[in-house]
Amino acid sequence: MTNPLLETWDTPFGLPPFARIADGDFAPAMAAALDEGRAAVAAIAENPAPPSFANTIAALELADQLLDRVAGVFYNLSGADANPARDALQRDFAPMLSAYASEITNNAALFARVDDLWQRRDELGLGDEEMRVLTLTHRSFVRSGAALEGAARDRLTAVKSRLAVLGTQFTQNLLADERDWFMALSEADLAGLPEFVVAAAREAGREKGQAGPVVTLSRSLIVPFLQFSPRRDLRERAYRAWAARGANGGESDNRVLSAEILALRAERAALLGYESFAAYKLETEMAGNPAAVRDLLMAVWAPARAQAEVDAERLTAMLHADGINDALAPWDWRYYSEKRRLAEHDLNEAELKPYFQLDAMIEAGFDSATRLFGLEFRPLDVDLYHPDARAWEVTRGGRHVAVFVGDYFARGSKRSGAWCSAMRSQKKLGGDVRPIVVNVCNFAKGDPCLLSYDDARTLFHEFGHALHQMLSDVTYGSISGTSVARDFVELPSQLYEHWLEVPEVLDRHARHAVTGAPIPVALRDRLLAARTYDMGFQTVEYVASALVDLDFHDGPAPADPMAAEAATLARIGMPAAIGMRHATPHFAHVFSGDGYSAGYYSYMWSEVMDADAFAAFEEVGDPFDPETAARLERFILSAGGSQEADQLYTAFRGRMPGVEALLKGRGLDRVA
């Protein structure tokens, strides 16, 4: 029997033949892909011809085509539709893939060819994109330990392998805690909850096989429960479970894992000659060094904390007015903040939600992309990996651009959060390869599915990442799409959120789920006027997490990360009524892999640019200005990592921005 993962896919747009792929196909396909990659790398390293860009760098770009295909399918499924077999495979694959990567960078003959080209780079007559790929390839080899020898090289290989295993285990532990916990609700417990929360709780109960409604740890359910439930005891129970993910003892506890991960990262940096892991990690980011990151975060922390303290006083007064003679707690903030928003801005989540249907917001994202970039979206009737997932062909001027897959509903087999990935990335080397891009979210299922305004922002955010992938126009896959500096990658996503705030977008797409009527202008204006409401809370919970991440990695690794977390929060004066957005045991951004380690700040670094970038449209008086959109596509969305991030942004905007636009956008520029 043939393995469908190893066949040529005669499917629409080369989509994986999901209906024919079984979990048992992945291990032999991964083994075959690794064997093919090893053979290709050996042929490059042992090539008797003198090194050239074509026979070394370009050849390396093509060496892992089968591995990219197999891994692209597997890791999308393991994140969005996990099961015990895929969990086990993921644990097996982590050290295998780490070992394979180390084999490549430890190959002395291969590195000698790369280094020879690097030393002669000015004599090779390379174009700009080729020079960029050579630069990044050489840098990657060096930062991966290619210049190390003997025991140091062997130890670095072991460290990277162990980190890959621990990151996978951290992710699976977190998913287990999120999947297994729920709180059953009686009919009496539903009192005071809006109908959309009740409906989501009943649907969650059905998904969990329960006879009645439940609250789960899915953000799209637990947050509205914390906003609306008048039962302080239930809010506390739900919040404590949410905050305790990864710290419940037993096999799924992540606290010991986090300590080992931090120690190994510090050792990795030391082996490579860096004073800390943060210094190593940030060297290639826009920030450049830990001091620049800390300066930005503290510039925002001071006004955010001041605003949060003022807000806490008002919410505490509301708590006491309810006859509760207690301090404001983290499980109180969202409840009283929602009441205050209603009183001060005449905004009620239950009134807003019917205007933010999932399908309408998807269409709003598509329509904005059509007006900005000329993209068109056609639904596809194709086999996908789960019944909840759906697909569209993306075209421009009749020409195929990409396939876009959306997987929007929360379920027990899906890890939490929202993300964008690619089953296939754009490149021109070896043929015109068009991308298959996936957006994954965790919205509470309903009929129809109604989103909060924050949910709608998340949808636009992830679609901004998708546009970065779909509009990519480079030759080499290693610099395609979102293959950019971590503190630049959030620019397209956070920038795209601004189009949800454009009044004409809301007028066209925010229509009532029952009546079909457009959102009333007065309600729309109140919504937009309140966009910075509670921004002290939102900024504090984010920046606290980013500072803890930075402190973890900027110096010796803490033996007790939980104690180190507490010390950071005490030092910065963390308000008692606000919890970190991501406490250590469930800080997947930082501990599930190296992507955002010492880099959680990157959302805020990118926000400095996104506020300024949208201002480029505002300055010409048109959020869909064709010339500005064309510059955005040319210098940001289509360019991938073809230049340094600051060069790309300056080419678009003419200069780099300061923090002032960020503070203004968050409404923190007026805080005393």
Side-chain angles (χ1 to χ4, degrees):
M1 182 178 293
T2 58
N3 188 323
L5 288 163
L6 302 177
E7 298 174 358
T8 300
W9 294 342
D10 185 18
T11 56
F13 309 106
L15 284 163
F18 292 108
R20 297 177 51 224
I21 297 172
D23 288 340
D25 295 325
F26 284 113
M30 187 67 77
L34 289 171
D35 287 345
E36 182 176 298
R38 286 188 178 97
V41 169
I44 298 168
E46 298 164 10
N47 189 342
S52 69
F53 184 90
N55 70 19
T56 303
I57 304 301
L60 277 173
E61 290 272 329
L62 296 173
D64 289 337
Q65 291 187 96
L66 180 58
L67 180 58
D68 290 342
R69 184 170 72 163
V70 174
V73 176
F74 175 75
Y75 283 100
N76 274 277
L77 266 61
S78 64
D81 194 25
N83 61 32
R86 292 170 189 168
D87 287 349
L89 287 167
Q90 196 172 11
R91 292 190 294 271
D92 291 341
F93 291 164
M96 291 168 55
L97 291 169
S98 177
Y100 174 71
S102 292
E103 287 173 28
I104 294 173
T105 53
N106 291 345
N107 188 318
L110 179 61
F111 179 58
R113 295 179 70 86
V114 173
D115 194 51
D116 174 79
L117 292 169
W118 175 247
Q119 301 303 328
R120 296 188 294 111
R121 60 190 179 278
D122 293 333
E123 307 166 9
L124 301 176
L126 301 179
D128 290 344
E129 193 173 322
E130 293 167 326
M131 182 64 81
R132 177 67 171 165
V133 172
L134 173 59
T135 300
L136 294 177
T137 302
H138 185 265
R139 186 173 78 181
S140 176
F141 269 78
V142 172
R143 286 172 56 82
S144 297
L148 297 180
E149 297 179 349
R153 183 186 65 186
D154 294 343
R155 179 56 187 162
L156 183 61
T157 298
V159 165
K160 289 190 288 186
S161 178
R162 180 62 178 160
L163 283 169
V165 170
L166 292 172
T168 298
Q169 188 176 348
F170 189 99
T171 302
Q172 294 188 354
N173 288 348
L174 179 56
L175 178 59
D177 276 7
E178 292 172 342
R179 180 182 60 230
D180 295 343
W181 188 91
F182 62 86
M183 181 174 70
L185 300 175
S186 69
E187 292 300 314
D189 295 337
L190 301 176
L193 296 177
E195 179 54 38
F196 74 86
V197 181
V198 173
R202 294 193 190 282
E203 179 61 34
R206 282 190 287 273
E207 199 264 340
K208 294 293 184 186
Q210 301 299 301
V214 305
V215 173
T216 68
L217 298 181
S218 170
R219 177 175 285 271
S220 62
L221 177 51
I222 197 168
V223 167
F225 182 81
L226 293 170
Q227 283 178 298
F228 291 105
S229 176
R231 289 279 301 277
R232 193 176 192 231
D233 59 329
L234 296 182
R235 296 200 310 268
E236 180 178 0
R237 182 180 168 195
Y239 180 87
R240 288 189 182 278
W242 196 30
R245 291 169 293 158
N248 290 304
E251 294 183 355
S252 65
D253 198 295
N254 277 331
R255 287 172 289 189
V256 174
L257 267 64
S258 64
E260 186 178 358
I261 289 170
L262 293 173
L264 289 171
R265 285 177 179 162
E267 183 180 2
R268 177 183 180 180
L271 286 166
L272 292 167
Y274 293 86
E275 63 181 18
S276 69
F277 183 80
Y280 161 75
K281 184 67 181 296
L282 296 173
E283 179 185 50
T284 59
E285 306 297 339
M286 292 185 76
N289 59 74
V293 173
R294 196 175 300 279
D295 287 347
L296 170 66
L297 293 176
M298 293 310 297
V300 178
W301 174 258
R305 181 177 178 272
Q307 183 63 61
E309 288 178 334
V310 171
D311 293 342
E313 292 179 3
R314 296 174 181 171
L315 301 184
T316 299
M318 297 172 70
L319 174 77
H320 293 169
D322 275 353
I324 302 172
N325 188 24
D326 198 358
L328 186 74
W331 47 88
D332 297 318
W333 191 292
R334 289 176 174 83
Y335 178 70
Y336 287 102
S337 180
E338 182 65 24
K339 283 191 167 187
R340 181 184 164 204
R341 186 172 73 148
L342 177 59
E344 294 185 4
H345 294 279
D346 193 20
L347 281 178
N348 184 329
E349 187 78 15
E351 180 186 10
L352 279 172
K353 263 211 167 186
Y355 292 100
F356 291 90
Q357 300 176 69
L358 172 61
D359 288 349
M361 291 301 101
I362 293 171
E363 183 57 35
F366 288 174
D367 182 42
S368 296
T370 300
R371 298 178 67 186
L372 285 164
F373 310 115
L375 300 178
E376 297 179 344
F377 300 83
R378 177 178 67 88
L380 294 174
D381 182 13
V382 293
D383 287 330
L384 296 170
Y385 58 88
H386 192 279
D388 286 346
R390 39 186 155 161
W392 293 263
E393 183 191 9
V394 186
T395 60
R396 178 157 58 182
R399 181 175 177 268
H400 177 73
V401 171
V403 171
F404 174 67
V405 177
D407 182 357
Y408 296 108
F409 298 127
R411 54 179 176 269
S413 63
K414 182 189 288 186
R415 64 180 170 90
S416 62
W419 64 93
C420 176
S421 60
M423 292 191 188
R424 185 176 68 217
S425 295
Q426 180 271 330
K427 64 181 179 181
K428 297 176 184 174
L429 186 67
D432 185 12
V433 178
R434 302 309 308 167
I436 300 172
V437 185
V438 186
N439 273 181
V440 183
C441 298
N442 271 280
F443 303 138
K445 187 178 286 188
D447 186 19
C449 176
L450 303 179
L451 306 182
S452 68
Y453 190 62
D454 283 345
D455 286 339
R457 288 176 66 93
T458 296
L459 187 147
F460 267 65
H461 178 101
E462 298 307 332
F463 194 65
H465 281 308
L467 289 171
H468 202 182
Q469 294 273 20
M470 292 188 288
L471 291 173
S472 178
D473 186 23
V474 297
T475 299
Y476 301 96
S478 63
I479 57 169
S480 173
T482 55
S483 298
V484 298
R486 181 64 61 177
D487 47 13
F488 188 67
V489 76
E490 298 298 336
L491 168 60
S493 53
Q494 293 180 176
L495 173 58
Y496 205 65
E497 293 178 30
H498 288 273
W499 274 274
L500 180 61
E501 300 175 346
V502 172
E504 61 188 279
V505 172
L506 292 172
D507 292 345
R508 181 180 297 190
H509 297 286
R511 294 182 171 271
H512 197 278
V514 176
T515 67
I519 187 170
V521 172
L523 178 59
R524 180 204 72 193
D525 290 346
R526 294 199 306 274
L527 173 66
L528 295 178
R531 63 186 134 195
T532 61
Y533 173 72
D534 213 18
M535 196 56 74
F537 168 87
Q538 294 179 43
T539 307
V540 160
E541 65 164 3
Y542 166 79
V543 175
S545 295
L547 284 167
V548 167
D549 167 43
L550 183 62
D551 282 356
F552 276 161
H553 297 99
D554 187 19
D560 183 349
M562 299 303 293
E565 173 189 296
T568 294
L569 297 181
R571 188 189 77 248
I572 63 177
M574 182 71 172
I578 302 178
M580 292 169 62
R581 183 170 299 179
H582 302 290
T584 298
H586 55 85
F587 208 161
H589 279 79
V590 168
F591 291 106
S592 290
D594 278 354
Y596 285 90
S597 56
Y600 191 62
Y601 77 92
S602 60
Y603 291 92
M604 187 145 284
W605 192 277
S606 293
E607 190 176 338
V608 171
M609 291 178 286
D610 86 62
D612 179 69
F614 192 70
F617 289 89
E618 294 176 319
E619 288 164 9
V620 295
D622 181 2
F624 297 98
D625 177 62
E627 292 184 7
T628 310
R631 289 204 319 275
L632 177 64
E633 179 177 352
R634 177 184 174 188
F635 295 117
I636 307 293
L637 297 176
S638 72
S642 58
Q643 297 181 54
E644 291 290 346
D646 58 347
Q647 295 174 333
L648 292 172
Y649 190 83
T650 301
F652 164 63
R653 196 68 170 103
R655 50 157 175 75
M656 291 299 294
V659 72
E660 296 78 16
L662 179 150
L663 292 174
K664 180 179 179 181
R666 285 182 171 250
L668 300 175
D669 56 327
R670 300 178 299 276
V671 178

